[in-house]
Amino acid sequence: MAEVEKTADLATVISDLEKVVEEKPENVVARHHLGLVYRQAGRIDEAITQLQKAIELDNQSMESMINLGAIYFDIGETDKALALNQQALSISPKMAEAHVNIGLIYQQQSRVAESIESYLKAIEIDPKLLTAWINLTSAYTMSEEDAKAVEAARQAVTLEPESAMAMNNLAVALYFQGSYEESHESMEKAKALGYSVDSRFVAALQEKLG
């Protein structure tokens, strides 16, 4: 569901969906979308309530599980986020997005080896899934597998040359590999693509380059 850009439009969408839910409480789709717009409006508790209700009404509602998991991840309740993504995978084991989400949760919990495994599962399902390659790069960097981090970063950049985050990840991976000149080139490309490069990384790279 596309985000509503104007506050007035968002309020209108919320009002319309609330009416639908009031008239048809069993409407799973309406509750799901109401949860999404509540989240967009910052009404997190209400968003959780609606998405939970959507799942209660339809225990196959994977999108509601994924979106509710995203909310729990954002508010730091990673165990709940993990359970919801695992629930989605139990319905559709080849849901690459859920594998990426689980990888990110594991990474947040410092379970790096498990996060790498999850990202690789996502890539096996969808080799062109950019987020999987981007997150895999950072996970390999965290585990100090520098050559693999560079390889994953290069794959991300190949898939999406205009991705500022992928380019920045490549710069970081190259830095830890000791390829400082190429790291600098990638960093400058990331900046040109609009990425706000960490000033500490810039300073560390400049020190290595002398």
Side-chain angles (χ1 to χ4, degrees), residues 57-119:
L57 290 168
D58 179 6
N59 62 10
Q60 302 295 301
S61 182
M62 294 179 293
E63 288 301 318
S64 293
M65 295 169 194
I66 294 296
N67 281 289
L68 181 55
I71 293 174
Y72 280 130
F73 181 83
D74 287 345
I75 63 177
E77 297 195 37
T78 54
D79 287 339
K80 289 182 178 179
L82 179 60
L84 283 158
N85 280 279
Q86 289 173 331
Q87 187 178 353
L89 277 182
S90 71
I91 299 166
S92 179
K94 291 190 176 296
M95 190 177 189
E97 180 186 358
H99 283 294
V100 170
N101 291 344
I102 288 172
L104 189 58
I105 293 163
Y106 283 149
Q107 211 170 332
Q108 183 72 16
Q109 296 176 336
S110 297
R111 298 162 64 179
V112 183
E114 290 167 283
S115 77
I116 290 171
E117 184 179 349
S118 292
Y119 296 139

Side-chain angles (χ1 to χ4, degrees), residues 171-182:
V172 173
L174 287 164
Y175 172 87
F176 285 109
Q177 191 185 50
S179 303
Y180 303 123
E181 290 288 349
E182 192 177 355

Side-chain angles (χ1 to χ4, degrees), residues 132-143:
W133 287 106
I134 287 175
N135 291 352
L136 181 61
T137 301
S138 62
Y140 276 141
T141 297
M142 286 177 68
S143 66

Side-chain angles (χ1 to χ4, degrees), residues 9-210:
D9 292 342
L10 184 59
T12 300
V13 172
I14 289 174
S15 177
D16 290 344
L17 286 170
E18 285 175 338
K19 289 175 183 176
V20 174
V21 169
E22 184 178 356
E23 293 171 2
K24 298 179 180 179
E26 307 302 305
N27 189 322
V28 174
V29 174
R31 286 191 180 276
H32 173 81
H33 287 303
L34 182 55
L36 297 186
V37 292
Y38 275 151
R39 181 188 181 193
Q40 190 178 339
R43 296 164 63 173
I44 302 303
D45 289 343
E46 291 166 288
I48 290 172
T49 297
Q50 291 302 325
L51 291 169
Q52 284 177 333
K53 185 61 179 178
I55 295 168
E56 289 171 14
L57 290 168
D58 179 6
N59 62 10
Q60 302 295 301
S61 182
M62 294 179 293
E63 288 301 318
S64 293
M65 295 169 194
I66 294 296
N67 281 289
L68 181 55
I71 293 174
Y72 280 130
F73 181 83
D74 287 345
I75 63 177
E77 297 195 37
T78 54
D79 287 339
K80 289 182 178 179
L82 179 60
L84 283 158
N85 280 279
Q86 289 173 331
Q87 187 178 353
L89 277 182
S90 71
I91 299 166
S92 179
K94 291 190 176 296
M95 190 177 189
E97 180 186 358
H99 283 294
V100 170
N101 291 344
I102 288 172
L104 189 58
I105 293 163
Y106 283 149
Q107 211 170 332
Q108 183 72 16
Q109 296 176 336
S110 297
R111 298 162 64 179
V112 183
E114 290 167 283
S115 77
I116 290 171
E117 184 179 349
S118 292
Y119 296 139
L120 290 174
K121 285 179 181 177
I123 289 166
E124 184 179 352
I125 295 164
D126 184 358
K128 294 184 179 181
L129 186 57
L130 181 63
T131 54
W133 287 106
I134 287 175
N135 291 352
L136 181 61
T137 301
S138 62
Y140 276 141
T141 297
M142 286 177 68
S143 66
E144 299 182 351
E145 297 180 74
D146 299 326
K148 289 183 178 181
V150 170
E151 183 181 349
R154 290 194 193 283
Q155 183 62 40
V157 170
T158 298
L159 285 171
E160 183 48 74
E162 299 302 309
S163 171
M165 181 175 290
M167 191 64 70
N168 181 73
N169 278 6
L170 177 57
V172 173
L174 287 164
Y175 172 87
F176 285 109
Q177 191 185 50
S179 303
Y180 303 123
E181 290 288 349
E182 192 177 355
S183 174
H184 183 265
E185 290 174 11
S186 296
M187 182 190 72
E188 291 300 323
K189 289 178 182 178
K191 286 181 180 179
L193 289 168
Y195 195 89
S196 180
V197 178
D198 191 318
S199 59
R200 293 169 296 182
F201 175 65
V202 176
L205 183 54
Q206 288 176 339
E207 183 178 347
K208 292 293 185 182
L209 291 170

